[in-house]
Amino acid sequence: MVSVSEITGMEGETIQTQEIYRFVKDHTDDAGNIHGTFRATGFRPNFLRELKAYGIELPASHFDVTRPL
């Protein structure tokens, strides 16, 4: 599985993460190439507050679980 995750903290010696996007495979073509899209998991990452403080706002559509990126 391929995904994009945010590190959210530590629990003892264990790194805590939250998956933000996950790759969803559609098919594999005759040449063996994998085709698919990244999809939001519904989790809005904590770093959005920091981005907003710098004047950067990501559209809500980037986190819409019904739309591919």
Side-chain angles (χ1 to χ4, degrees):
M1 178 190 319
V2 176
S3 64
V4 177
S5 298
E6 173 184 38
I7 296 173
T8 57
M10 296 284 294
E11 188 173 305
E13 296 290 320
T14 305
I15 298 171
Q16 301 295 307
T17 63
Q18 180 64 50
E19 186 179 46
I20 301 169
Y21 300 104
R22 131 181 348 127
F23 184 78
V24 178
K25 177 181 161 184
D26 292 327
H27 68 280
T28 303
D29 65 22
D30 294 337
N33 299 309
I34 297 171
H35 298 266
T37 57
F38 277 93
R39 300 276 181 153
T41 62
F43 176 76
R44 294 180 63 84
N46 295 322
F47 66 79
L48 290 179
R49 290 183 292 246
E50 289 183 56
L51 287 180
K52 190 172 184 176
Y54 288 104
I56 302 168
E57 292 194 54
L58 297 178
S61 63
H62 284 15
F63 305 100
D64 182 348
V65 298
T66 65
R67 295 179 43 173
L69 294 179

